Amino acid sequence: MDANKLKLTASAAAVVAALTGAYTLGHANSPASQASASQVTAPITMSQPAAAARAELPDMSGIVARNSPSVVNISVSGTRKAGSRGPRSPQFDDDESIPDFLRRFGAPHNGGDAPARGLGSGFIVSPDGTILTNAHVVDGAEEVIVKLTDKREFKAKVLGLDTASDVAVLKIDAKDLPVVRIGSAANTRVGEWVLAIGSPFGFESSASAGIVSAFSRSLPDGSYVPFIQTDVAVNPGNSGGPLFNMAGEVIGINSQIYSRSGGYQGLSFAIPIEVAMNVERQIVAHGKVQRGRLGVAIQEVNQSLADSFGLKKPAGALVGSVDRDSPAAKAGLQPGDVILSINGKEIASSNELPAIVSSMKPGEQAKLQVWRKGETRAVDVEVGKFGDQQLASNDATDAGKGRLGVVVRPLTPEEQRRSDVGNGVMVQNVAGAAAKAGIQPGDIVIAVNGEAISSTEQLRSLISKAGKRIAVLVDRGNARIFIPVDLG
């Protein structure tokens, strides 16, 4: 049940907007047109139910007025090599053969060897300048600028980013800032009105509204996040902005849209605020995020599977495989088991289980109710640790402080499987000697001077003891290459 890294991309390009009339009046003096006009101008009578429904539409102006000062505009800058996609940044085109897909939409950037810039949104959660946004908005950025509604601008420090949940925490040097009120996504119902505030295409403090369409959406990217689905119109630049309920509380962070064009097409997805605040607390307190892990691959139980396993109804999470030496394996879980509940909470759908386990602390006990061979049984599992993500600053200046000039983190289990490497560390940012040699974000450093790399600490130690020149073996797109680096 390892969480996949989110792999989708920010929409690209600057926008030139042109507003035109949607209706053209022609042949105005013809009899037909006069008759049509008389029909159009006839009085319209609204039925009492329709009038009542119209009267009940919420007035969101107060929510916008109170919360807009707490919503910030985020601009990022960095560099991008021509043809380089970087980590989790596939380049999509408009080929009609490509099916609909999920897009991250927060930081449009230009390509080539010129500076790359992007835009996103965020919101202030503490008066001393702590800000939440999406990880993909600031991932790889060399400079992050936060602009408030009063036009003040601050250079932000990235306290940490967690790509598994797509949440980043920023800090600006300011005091007595207006903050949002944090609510609960768990208390929200499908059909409720919600409101987004952000900077679509750079248009700051823009508000859009809709309803909650569904909960606990499991998206094709394999993320463990139980997304909130809405029909709120969000576009490039909204990413990282808050989603409010009608009490004016933040219940989510707008993160992804389902689109062929890169623009809004009726489906948007937000990270539940409970997930985001859990990440924020850990980053502020420890500088990193730890989440629980069982070590199983699961799938949904449909009616056919329920019938074949003798279940009364299609529910739970079907275990497809168990990782060797994982907590699940040590507890005796087997392929074919159906996990019905965890710590007394029923699992109605398989996508509920990853979010629950990931929110648990490593070492915590999980009590599972499991269906096996026609009967239920209790299984106790000591939750393991899902690959520690080191959430160091993403600033290129921090990368440049080391001799090699890289910001790295441990690989997630999914990255290890996908790249078929047993060891190594993921490059998040490069500067200095590494940048000059051609090491890129998204490279996996496997070895230095023939010595295999298994941790960030080992890499740091090897570099500190190395001579003027080293040979770095990296995995790039499942191809392994040696890169000579002059450390000077």
Side-chain angles (χ1 to χ4, degrees), residues 27 36 39-40 80 97 113 117 130 135 141 146 209 212 223 232 278 281 285 295 318 356 359 370 388 421 424 450:
H27 308 292
S36 176
Q39 293 172 2
V40 170
R80 183 174 296 275
S97 65
D113 291 319
R117 299 183 181 276
T130 303
V146 168
V212 173
S223 165
V232 177
N278 178 48
R281 285 189 293 269
L318 173 60
I356 296 172
S359 67
V370 173
D388 244 5
V421 297

mmCIF file of all heavy atoms in Angstrom, residues 27 36 39-40 80 97 113 117 130 135 141 146 209 212 223 232 278 281 285 295 318 356 359 370 388 421 424 450:
data_model
loop_
_atom_site.group_PDB
_atom_site.id
_atom_site.type_symbol
_atom_site.label_atom_id
_atom_site.label_comp_id
_atom_site.label_asym_id
_atom_site.label_seq_id
_atom_site.Cartn_x
_atom_site.Cartn_y
_atom_site.Cartn_z
ATOM 1 N N HIS A 27 -29.824 41.107 -38.922
ATOM 2 C CA HIS A 27 -31.142 41.239 -39.556
ATOM 3 C C HIS A 27 -32.160 41.822 -38.574
ATOM 4 O O HIS A 27 -33.287 41.340 -38.442
ATOM 5 C CB HIS A 27 -31.639 39.888 -40.073
ATOM 6 C CG HIS A 27 -30.636 39.202 -40.954
ATOM 7 N ND1 HIS A 27 -30.307 39.685 -42.189
ATOM 8 C CD2 HIS A 27 -29.885 38.096 -40.763
ATOM 9 C CE1 HIS A 27 -29.394 38.889 -42.738
ATOM 10 N NE2 HIS A 27 -29.125 37.929 -41.893
ATOM 11 N N SER A 36 -39.475 37.610 -33.368
ATOM 12 C CA SER A 36 -38.655 36.896 -32.387
ATOM 13 C C SER A 36 -38.350 37.771 -31.198
ATOM 14 O O SER A 36 -38.389 37.337 -30.052
ATOM 15 C CB SER A 36 -37.353 36.430 -33.055
ATOM 16 O OG SER A 36 -36.509 35.813 -32.118
ATOM 17 N N GLN A 39 -41.195 38.007 -28.854
ATOM 18 C CA GLN A 39 -41.308 36.796 -28.044
ATOM 19 C C GLN A 39 -40.285 36.793 -26.921
ATOM 20 O O GLN A 39 -40.568 36.412 -25.790
ATOM 21 C CB GLN A 39 -41.124 35.555 -28.918
ATOM 22 C CG GLN A 39 -42.258 35.370 -29.926
ATOM 23 C CD GLN A 39 -41.963 34.273 -30.905
ATOM 24 O OE1 GLN A 39 -40.927 33.623 -30.809
ATOM 25 N NE2 GLN A 39 -42.852 34.061 -31.853
ATOM 26 N N VAL A 40 -39.083 37.243 -27.244
ATOM 27 C CA VAL A 40 -38.017 37.237 -26.251
ATOM 28 C C VAL A 40 -38.327 38.193 -25.113
ATOM 29 O O VAL A 40 -38.037 37.928 -23.949
ATOM 30 C CB VAL A 40 -36.669 37.596 -26.911
ATOM 31 C CG1 VAL A 40 -35.599 37.833 -25.849
ATOM 32 C CG2 VAL A 40 -36.243 36.503 -27.863
ATOM 33 N N ARG A 80 15.295 25.781 -16.316
ATOM 34 C CA ARG A 80 14.886 24.511 -16.892
ATOM 35 C C ARG A 80 15.667 24.269 -18.172
ATOM 36 O O ARG A 80 15.709 25.118 -19.061
ATOM 37 C CB ARG A 80 13.386 24.512 -17.195
ATOM 38 C CG ARG A 80 12.868 23.198 -17.728
ATOM 39 C CD ARG A 80 11.364 23.249 -17.844
ATOM 40 N NE ARG A 80 10.772 23.399 -16.536
ATOM 41 C CZ ARG A 80 10.520 22.375 -15.730
ATOM 42 N NH1 ARG A 80 10.812 21.160 -16.093
ATOM 43 N NH2 ARG A 80 9.989 22.585 -14.540
ATOM 44 N N SER A 97 -5.394 11.855 -29.431
ATOM 45 C CA SER A 97 -5.294 10.448 -29.077
ATOM 46 C C SER A 97 -5.027 10.255 -27.598
ATOM 47 O O SER A 97 -5.171 9.171 -27.067
ATOM 48 C CB SER A 97 -4.162 9.782 -29.871
ATOM 49 O OG SER A 97 -2.904 10.337 -29.504
ATOM 50 N N ASP A 113 16.181 26.908 -22.266
ATOM 51 C CA ASP A 113 17.259 27.151 -21.322
ATOM 52 C C ASP A 113 17.142 28.502 -20.648
ATOM 53 O O ASP A 113 18.073 28.966 -20.003
ATOM 54 C CB ASP A 113 18.604 27.059 -22.054
ATOM 55 C CG ASP A 113 18.890 25.632 -22.491
ATOM 56 O OD1 ASP A 113 18.621 24.733 -21.694
ATOM 57 O OD2 ASP A 113 19.360 25.441 -23.616
ATOM 58 N N ARG A 117 9.390 30.437 -14.960
ATOM 59 C CA ARG A 117 8.621 31.110 -13.925
ATOM 60 C C ARG A 117 7.244 30.467 -13.820
ATOM 61 O O ARG A 117 6.756 29.881 -14.769
ATOM 62 C CB ARG A 117 8.489 32.611 -14.229
ATOM 63 C CG ARG A 117 9.831 33.313 -14.297
ATOM 64 C CD ARG A 117 9.679 34.812 -14.523
ATOM 65 N NE ARG A 117 10.980 35.448 -14.604
ATOM 66 C CZ ARG A 117 11.691 35.835 -13.554
ATOM 67 N NH1 ARG A 117 11.214 35.642 -12.343
ATOM 68 N NH2 ARG A 117 12.874 36.404 -13.695
ATOM 69 N N THR A 130 3.395 31.479 8.522
ATOM 70 C CA THR A 130 3.382 30.114 7.994
ATOM 71 C C THR A 130 2.282 29.997 6.942
ATOM 72 O O THR A 130 1.143 30.386 7.179
ATOM 73 C CB THR A 130 3.152 29.083 9.104
ATOM 74 O OG1 THR A 130 4.157 29.239 10.106
ATOM 75 C CG2 THR A 130 3.223 27.665 8.549
ATOM 76 N N ALA A 135 2.858 21.230 -3.047
ATOM 77 C CA ALA A 135 4.275 20.934 -3.247
ATOM 78 C C ALA A 135 4.683 21.181 -4.691
ATOM 79 O O ALA A 135 5.788 21.665 -4.963
ATOM 80 C CB ALA A 135 4.571 19.492 -2.845
ATOM 81 N N ALA A 141 11.897 25.104 -7.198
ATOM 82 C CA ALA A 141 12.025 26.551 -7.358
ATOM 83 C C ALA A 141 13.305 27.051 -6.693
ATOM 84 O O ALA A 141 13.678 26.598 -5.608
ATOM 85 C CB ALA A 141 10.829 27.264 -6.747
ATOM 86 N N VAL A 146 6.167 35.599 -2.159
ATOM 87 C CA VAL A 146 4.785 35.626 -1.693
ATOM 88 C C VAL A 146 4.293 37.069 -1.707
ATOM 89 O O VAL A 146 4.942 37.961 -1.151
ATOM 90 C CB VAL A 146 4.671 35.044 -0.268
ATOM 91 C CG1 VAL A 146 3.291 35.333 0.323
ATOM 92 C CG2 VAL A 146 4.926 33.545 -0.293
ATOM 93 N N ALA A 209 -17.147 29.479 -7.228
ATOM 94 C CA ALA A 209 -17.933 28.647 -6.312
ATOM 95 C C ALA A 209 -18.549 27.464 -7.043
ATOM 96 O O ALA A 209 -18.669 27.445 -8.268
ATOM 97 C CB ALA A 209 -19.029 29.473 -5.648
ATOM 98 N N VAL A 212 -19.718 20.416 -3.572
ATOM 99 C CA VAL A 212 -18.947 19.190 -3.386
ATOM 100 C C VAL A 212 -19.613 18.089 -4.199
ATOM 101 O O VAL A 212 -20.810 17.831 -4.042
ATOM 102 C CB VAL A 212 -18.876 18.808 -1.897
ATOM 103 C CG1 VAL A 212 -18.215 17.443 -1.727
ATOM 104 C CG2 VAL A 212 -18.129 19.866 -1.102
ATOM 105 N N SER A 223 -2.121 8.070 -5.774
ATOM 106 C CA SER A 223 -1.894 8.776 -4.524
ATOM 107 C C SER A 223 -2.776 8.203 -3.417
ATOM 108 O O SER A 223 -3.876 7.736 -3.656
ATOM 109 C CB SER A 223 -2.216 10.261 -4.714
ATOM 110 O OG SER A 223 -2.338 10.898 -3.459
ATOM 111 N N VAL A 232 -16.102 23.307 -8.647
ATOM 112 C CA VAL A 232 -15.637 24.696 -8.562
ATOM 113 C C VAL A 232 -14.660 24.954 -9.711
ATOM 114 O O VAL A 232 -13.763 24.152 -9.961
ATOM 115 C CB VAL A 232 -14.939 24.961 -7.219
ATOM 116 C CG1 VAL A 232 -14.394 26.390 -7.171
ATOM 117 C CG2 VAL A 232 -15.900 24.714 -6.069
ATOM 118 N N ASN A 278 -1.872 17.811 9.025
ATOM 119 C CA ASN A 278 -0.994 16.783 9.588
ATOM 120 C C ASN A 278 0.419 16.949 9.040
ATOM 121 O O ASN A 278 1.410 16.862 9.780
ATOM 122 C CB ASN A 278 -1.530 15.392 9.266
ATOM 123 C CG ASN A 278 -0.619 14.290 9.780
ATOM 124 O OD1 ASN A 278 -0.177 14.294 10.921
ATOM 125 N ND2 ASN A 278 -0.333 13.324 8.920
ATOM 126 N N ARG A 281 1.992 20.208 10.605
ATOM 127 C CA ARG A 281 2.457 20.030 11.984
ATOM 128 C C ARG A 281 3.784 19.292 12.041
ATOM 129 O O ARG A 281 4.693 19.660 12.797
ATOM 130 C CB ARG A 281 1.397 19.276 12.800
ATOM 131 C CG ARG A 281 0.191 20.119 13.182
ATOM 132 C CD ARG A 281 -0.697 19.377 14.171
ATOM 133 N NE ARG A 281 -1.327 18.212 13.555
ATOM 134 C CZ ARG A 281 -2.513 18.243 12.960
ATOM 135 N NH1 ARG A 281 -3.185 19.365 12.870
ATOM 136 N NH2 ARG A 281 -3.032 17.133 12.443
ATOM 137 N N ALA A 285 7.383 20.952 13.210
ATOM 138 C CA ALA A 285 7.974 20.384 14.425
ATOM 139 C C ALA A 285 9.271 19.631 14.154
ATOM 140 O O ALA A 285 10.224 19.721 14.940
ATOM 141 C CB ALA A 285 6.968 19.459 15.112
ATOM 142 N N GLY A 295 2.451 -2.306 4.005
ATOM 143 C CA GLY A 295 3.224 -3.105 3.059
ATOM 144 C C GLY A 295 2.377 -4.084 2.273
ATOM 145 O O GLY A 295 2.769 -5.244 2.074
ATOM 146 N N LEU A 318 -9.249 -5.515 -0.676
ATOM 147 C CA LEU A 318 -8.724 -6.837 -1.002
ATOM 148 C C LEU A 318 -7.207 -6.780 -1.132
ATOM 149 O O LEU A 318 -6.673 -5.983 -1.904
ATOM 150 C CB LEU A 318 -9.352 -7.341 -2.307
ATOM 151 C CG LEU A 318 -8.800 -8.645 -2.880
ATOM 152 C CD1 LEU A 318 -8.979 -9.797 -1.897
ATOM 153 C CD2 LEU A 318 -9.471 -8.953 -4.213
ATOM 154 N N ILE A 356 -5.982 6.210 6.038
ATOM 155 C CA ILE A 356 -6.011 5.933 7.478
ATOM 156 C C ILE A 356 -4.649 5.461 7.960
ATOM 157 O O ILE A 356 -4.119 5.951 8.972
ATOM 158 C CB ILE A 356 -7.085 4.875 7.804
ATOM 159 C CG1 ILE A 356 -8.477 5.417 7.477
ATOM 160 C CG2 ILE A 356 -7.008 4.451 9.268
ATOM 161 C CD1 ILE A 356 -9.581 4.373 7.593
ATOM 162 N N SER A 359 -1.840 8.096 8.070
ATOM 163 C CA SER A 359 -1.960 9.090 9.137
ATOM 164 C C SER A 359 -1.505 8.548 10.490
ATOM 165 O O SER A 359 -1.378 9.311 11.455
ATOM 166 C CB SER A 359 -3.413 9.568 9.247
ATOM 167 O OG SER A 359 -4.262 8.528 9.696
ATOM 168 N N VAL A 370 -10.253 -8.949 9.448
ATOM 169 C CA VAL A 370 -9.917 -9.497 8.131
ATOM 170 C C VAL A 370 -10.859 -10.651 7.797
ATOM 171 O O VAL A 370 -11.161 -11.496 8.657
ATOM 172 C CB VAL A 370 -8.448 -9.985 8.107
ATOM 173 C CG1 VAL A 370 -8.129 -10.706 6.810
ATOM 174 C CG2 VAL A 370 -7.500 -8.811 8.309
ATOM 175 N N ASP A 388 10.869 7.664 4.946
ATOM 176 C CA ASP A 388 11.072 9.030 5.423
ATOM 177 C C ASP A 388 11.358 9.954 4.255
ATOM 178 O O ASP A 388 12.235 9.679 3.455
ATOM 179 C CB ASP A 388 12.299 9.055 6.337
ATOM 180 C CG ASP A 388 11.931 9.422 7.742
ATOM 181 O OD1 ASP A 388 10.743 9.562 8.009
ATOM 182 O OD2 ASP A 388 12.861 9.558 8.548
ATOM 183 N N VAL A 421 15.735 0.131 -8.899
ATOM 184 C CA VAL A 421 17.003 0.326 -8.200
ATOM 185 C C VAL A 421 16.815 -0.084 -6.756
ATOM 186 O O VAL A 421 15.778 0.143 -6.151
ATOM 187 C CB VAL A 421 17.490 1.794 -8.270
ATOM 188 C CG1 VAL A 421 17.771 2.182 -9.703
ATOM 189 C CG2 VAL A 421 16.488 2.738 -7.644
ATOM 190 N N GLY A 424 19.919 4.241 -3.494
ATOM 191 C CA GLY A 424 20.081 5.544 -4.132
ATOM 192 C C GLY A 424 19.274 6.619 -3.445
ATOM 193 O O GLY A 424 18.476 6.337 -2.537
ATOM 194 N N GLY A 450 32.125 4.457 -7.333
ATOM 195 C CA GLY A 450 31.942 3.019 -7.202
ATOM 196 C C GLY A 450 31.329 2.557 -5.903
ATOM 197 O O GLY A 450 31.043 1.373 -5.733
#
